[in-house]
Amino acid sequence: MSSNPIRIKPTMEKTELWEQTLDSLKSTLKPSEFKSWFSRISFEGIENNTVLLSVQNSMIQSKINSDYSVLIKDKINELSGTNLRISVKVNKDLKEKAPKTEVKENKAEDKKNSEVLLNSSYTFDSFVSGENSDFAYNAALAIAKNPGSVYNPCLLYGGVGLGKTHLLQSIGNHIIQNTNLKVMYVTAENFTNEFIQSINTKSQHQFQNKYRKVSVLLMDDIQFLQGKEGSQNELFNTFNDLYETGRQIVFTCDRPIEELKSITERLKSRFQRGLNVDIQPPNYENRVAILRRKCEEKNFTVSQEVLDYIATNISSNVRALESCITKLIAYSTLLNRDINIETAREQLKQIISSNQDLSGITIDSVIRCTAAFYGITAYDIKGRSRTASIVLPRQVAIYLTRKLTDFSTTEIASGFGLKNHTTVMYNVQKVEAMIRSNENDINSVLAKISQQIKSESSAK
Ligand code: ADP
Ligand code: MG
């Protein structure tokens, strides 16, 4: 250890880094995938620049090595600003142990009146509201205080990372804490998956009952329902049932309802009924306030200069503001160093460049130019439609991002709203195969779009 260039602090903090890594991976992987594999990993520590992990048997070991070790390594190094290796060993005694990697449990889980896990840190108190979000915040609070009477249904919409899920779950947490009402939080994606499963297992009746017996239905990310007619019908019926009996429904969406495609008119009109409120990106003062709050929550002190640097360079995504603080904390605790403006600049380079167009090409500019070329929207590219006319542009945009920028595959995955970095690689390979055969006249298409992207970025 003495020759180790990295001074690792006591176990507690290493464990924290591991937990942050898990937290962060959890949001990029399918819940079932995360549960199946990551709950079986035991974190043993960090020694000689190596993260030591153990698992029960060689089957799990080879799965982790083949599918997840690069992902884990990238994430842990991204969070800590270090260059650690990963070692996965088999430890047959692990069975006896309680899994160490259990994800933070939720206080709300034990409460009888919630059907699902809500993140207990998503509360009105922890939400920093400003001009951009006052209206949405107040509407959500009014609903939480008086579910089913004011603003029913309600739709909160706005860009990624602006606090829609936070507000939606705040409503749930507030109601659970103050009433005995049955609250159901579900992402439209899970609703769809459960619906399909209920068909496969012939348990549609149970599925319907489950959703129709709740007093408050909180459905996140309804843009996911685009093109999924069966689920839309099911939601339409659930909606009518709940609405007619005065039960509260709140939806979130990443765009205004008019911009949703392949959603039946009758469901659209249900979404638009009641109150529609948007959340805008925070302004500079609000961004500083959010950063301060995040530091306070984590008991972390950093200079005004650093906060100003972050708030100036990240303007449209609260999640990215939060990631900056998380990264600085990890760096500072792991390496036992103070954060000054230089270290902050160095450590936050990646996060900032992926959120800003100053240094040239961004993921968003690639998406925009590719979408324009094909006459579709950026939402289409970031969406999940499997239609050929959308899939090809999406593959092209992913390929061009990989070729024209320095973003890691994990960053590209998050920029495109993809599950994980392997999907990025898969799409890149698809385009590489097309290039070899010049299928879809791909070579000239790539040249034209690249030219447009480069000319846009150099015009800045
Ligand atoms: P969305 O659902 O709109 O994509 P989230 O609700 O997941 O965004 O927010 C992303 C992250 O940023 C979450 O960790 C959330 O707690 C945090 N966040 C977003 N807006 C705020 C805010 N106004 N105050 C405090 N934290 C916020
Ligand atoms: Mg969300």
Side-chain angles (χ1 to χ4, degrees):
M1 279 293 279
S2 58
S3 61
N4 187 346
I6 298 172
R7 272 182 302 149
I8 307 267
K9 295 216 9 188
T11 331
M12 184 52 220
E13 283 150 9
K14 293 186 224 163
T15 310
E16 206 169 302
L17 174 66
W18 174 244
E19 278 168 4
Q20 284 180 357
T21 305
L22 284 181
D23 259 2
S24 170
L25 290 175
K26 191 178 168 216
S27 60
T28 58
L29 296 167
K30 271 199 284 198
S32 55
E33 193 182 13
F34 184 84
K35 210 168 152 215
S36 306
W37 301 108
F38 285 75
S39 64
R40 296 169 161 199
I41 305 177
S42 171
F43 173 73
E44 308 296 348
I46 302 175
E47 268 171 35
N48 298 327
N49 285 345
T50 307
V51 179
L52 306 173
L53 305 175
S54 57
V55 295
Q56 272 170 29
N57 58 45
S58 55
M59 191 275 286
I60 308 177
Q61 181 191 37
S62 66
K63 176 74 180 177
I64 304 284
N65 278 334
S66 64
D67 289 14
Y68 299 111
S69 64
V70 175
L71 191 67
I72 298 175
K73 179 168 147 258
D74 285 355
K75 184 51 77 183
I76 209 161
N77 287 326
E78 182 191 324
L79 287 173
S80 60
T82 50
N83 192 10
L84 302 168
R85 290 182 296 268
I86 305 286
S87 150
V88 186
K89 294 244 157 64
V90 174
N91 175 358
K92 295 209 166 65
D93 298 332
L94 266 186
K95 246 178 270 169
E96 267 69 61
K97 288 192 205 165
K100 285 185 180 175
T101 50
E102 220 155 340
V103 196
K104 270 184 232 151
E105 280 310 335
N106 191 311
K107 288 183 205 139
E109 188 194 15
D110 296 329
K111 301 268 274 181
K112 280 194 246 32
N113 53 347
S114 166
E115 280 284 327
V116 272
L117 293 191
L118 289 169
N119 182 334
S120 56
S121 64
Y122 288 168
T123 62
F124 289 111
D125 277 347
S126 64
F127 191 88
V128 181
S129 76
E131 264 167 40
N132 60 308
S133 57
D134 267 346
F135 190 17
Y137 178 89
N138 288 324
L141 189 59
I143 289 168
K145 288 183 172 164
N146 265 311
S149 50
V150 286
Y151 313 136
N152 195 23
C154 175
L155 169 80
L156 304 173
Y157 67 92
V160 172
L162 294 182
K164 300 182 297 294
T165 299
H166 188 134
L167 278 182
L168 189 67
Q169 295 208 3
S170 300
I171 298 176
N173 280 320
H174 188 280
I175 295 177
I176 286 168
Q177 265 146 29
N178 295 289
T179 72
N180 288 319
L181 296 176
K182 206 174 245 319
V183 174
M184 169 76 82
Y185 166 88
V186 67
T187 60
E189 179 170 10
N190 282 345
F191 180 85
T192 301
N193 292 341
E194 275 181 46
F195 174 62
I196 294 169
Q197 207 182 356
S198 79
I199 297 174
N200 291 340
T201 57
K202 301 202 167 36
S203 55
Q204 272 151 291
H205 194 63
Q206 273 139 295
F207 172 82
Q208 286 170 352
N209 273 345
K210 172 173 167 188
Y211 283 92
R212 292 180 197 183
K213 70 176 187 221
V214 304
S215 304
V216 180
L217 176 64
L218 307 171
M219 184 174 281
D220 212 350
D221 291 321
I222 55 167
Q223 70 278 356
F224 185 82
L225 296 169
Q226 290 177 110
K228 310 208 165 55
E229 243 172 74
S231 305
Q232 291 177 29
N233 282 339
E234 188 56 38
L235 178 60
F236 177 78
N237 293 329
T238 309
F239 180 101
N240 289 341
D241 212 64
L242 295 178
Y243 182 76
E244 278 154 21
T245 46
R247 283 169 289 169
Q248 180 71 49
I249 308 164
V250 188
F251 299 108
T252 72
C253 188
D254 70 353
R255 67 201 76 173
I257 295 299
E258 312 83 75
E259 289 179 28
L260 287 176
K261 289 189 184 147
S262 313
I263 293 269
T264 59
E265 283 308 316
R266 59 179 199 167
L267 188 57
K268 263 193 191 173
S269 81
R270 294 303 185 279
F271 291 148
Q272 282 169 322
R273 205 182 269 182
L275 181 70
N276 284 207
V277 220
D278 70 333
I279 307 186
Q280 294 287 334
N283 65 17
Y284 172 81
E285 288 75 15
N286 195 229
R287 296 199 292 277
V288 173
I290 291 171
L291 287 167
R292 282 191 191 289
R293 173 66 77 85
K294 301 286 171 194
C295 289
E296 257 168 44
E297 279 169 7
K298 298 183 170 140
N299 236 332
F300 178 66
T301 333
V302 72
S303 67
Q304 173 63 32
E305 192 185 11
V306 170
L307 293 187
D308 173 73
Y309 172 70
I310 303 173
T312 310
N313 285 284
I314 290 191
S315 55
S316 62
N317 185 330
V318 179
R319 185 176 289 120
L321 292 175
E322 214 170 23
S323 310
C324 289
I325 299 297
T326 306
K327 176 136 196 196
L328 294 184
I329 293 176
Y331 179 85
S332 139
T333 47
L334 192 70
L335 300 187
N336 197 12
R337 288 196 195 136
D338 281 339
I339 300 293
N340 55 31
I341 185 70
E342 283 75 35
T343 31
R345 279 213 178 92
E346 180 56 31
Q347 290 306 311
L348 303 179
K349 230 174 20 205
Q350 289 269 331
I351 305 180
I352 284 179
S353 64
S354 61
N355 279 279
Q356 269 255 325
D357 321 74
L358 288 179
S359 57
I361 299 170
T362 62
I363 297 181
D364 279 342
S365 65
V366 178
I367 292 179
R368 205 167 356 93
C369 292
T370 311
F373 178 87
Y374 284 102
I376 58 174
T377 69
Y379 284 131
D380 293 328
I381 290 197
K382 291 199 231 177
R384 304 198 190 199
S385 164
R386 304 297 311 153
T387 327
S389 60
I390 305 289
V391 171
L392 177 65
R394 186 180 301 138
Q395 288 174 335
V396 165
I398 292 170
Y399 173 85
L400 286 171
T401 308
R402 187 75 183 135
K403 296 297 151 181
L404 300 176
T405 71
D406 289 330
F407 297 123
S408 69
T409 49
T410 339
E411 285 164 329
I412 298 176
S414 93
F416 280 83
L418 298 170
K419 250 191 349 241
N420 58 41
H421 72 304
T422 45
T423 321
V424 172
M425 269 128 53
Y426 170 81
N427 283 294
V428 169
Q429 284 157 11
K430 282 274 174 197
V431 175
E432 282 168 350
M434 279 182 237
I435 291 173
R436 287 192 288 274
S437 57
N438 199 22
E439 197 186 328
N440 298 314
D441 196 20
I442 198 78
N443 292 305
S444 115
V445 167
L446 291 172
K448 282 183 197 147
I449 304 175
S450 305
Q451 201 181 8
Q452 180 60 29
I453 295 168
K454 287 179 187 156
S455 73
E456 270 198 15
S457 70
S458 60
K460 292 228 167 74

